[in-house]
């Protein structure tokens, strides 16, 4: 999607600090980290949010979770949180599916 910020990052039109990349997904550090370690994992195909996941595109979500597990292990994270915001009220600001991976500080439950 040409006017999507994360599609532009995937295309290399906007720089990012890469954690991991393969043919299906990209992981990069959040520009405004909310924890000592905070990176995002996104599919390379444009999906608006979890609300647009269906039987036809769900395989990328499973793949992203394997990447999250692998990269968290590689970074030595033994406790972390995975978050995906859907819609305005939940705090979604970029309409391209992404999973936040946050680690390195105490976290509250329920989330704010
Ligand atoms: P959300 O608010 O859940 O949609 O998450 C979007 C995230 O993207 C926020 O945590 C932003 O800090 C992050 N973000 C926005 N622009 C960039 C960028 N150019 N590089 C890395 N992260 C970004
Ligand atoms: Zn996009």
């Amino acid at each position: 999607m040409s006017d999507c910020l994360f599609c532009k990052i995937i295309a290399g039109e906007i720089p990012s600090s890469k954690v991991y990349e393969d043919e299906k997904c990209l992981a990069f550090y959040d520009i405004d980290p909310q924890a000592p370690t905070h990176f995002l994992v996104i599919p390379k195909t444009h999906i608006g949010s979890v609300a647009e996941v269906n039987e036809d595109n769900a395989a990328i979500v499973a793949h992203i979770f394997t990447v999250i597990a692998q990269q968290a292990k590689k970074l030595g994270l033994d406790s972390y949180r995975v978050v995906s915001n859907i819609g305005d009220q939940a705090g979604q600001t970029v309409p391209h599916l992404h999973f936040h991976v946050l680690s390195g500080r105490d976290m509250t439950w329920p989330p704010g």
Side-chain angles (χ1 to χ4, degrees):
M1 209 188 239
S2 59
D3 62 346
C4 170
L5 175 66
F6 286 175
C7 283
K8 286 180 180 168
I9 286 177
I10 290 161
E13 294 167 15
I14 292 174
S16 67
S17 180
K18 283 178 196 171
V19 174
Y20 172 85
E21 182 173 20
D22 63 27
E23 70 282 1
K24 290 181 279 194
C25 73
L26 175 68
F28 56 100
Y29 287 106
D30 198 292
I31 203 167
D32 181 22
Q34 301 301 312
T37 300
H38 183 180
F39 63 90
L40 306 171
V41 191
I42 66 175
K44 287 193 169 178
T45 52
H46 183 89
I47 298 170
S49 75
V50 168
E52 292 182 14
V53 174
N54 56 45
E55 291 292 344
D56 294 332
N57 62 20
I60 186 60
V61 177
H63 177 68
I64 283 173
F65 272 79
T66 66
V67 167
I68 289 171
Q70 286 167 356
Q71 294 306 306
K73 191 171 183 182
K74 192 173 169 189
L75 292 168
L77 311 181
D78 56 2
S79 182
Y80 54 97
R81 184 171 288 181
V82 180
V83 174
S84 193
N85 299 318
I86 299 105
D88 292 343
Q89 191 175 29
Q92 184 177 10
T93 58
V94 179
H96 181 125
L97 178 64
H98 53 283
F99 295 92
H100 297 258
V101 181
L102 302 131
S103 184
R105 65 166 171 80
D106 293 340
M107 293 183 198
T108 58
W109 191 263

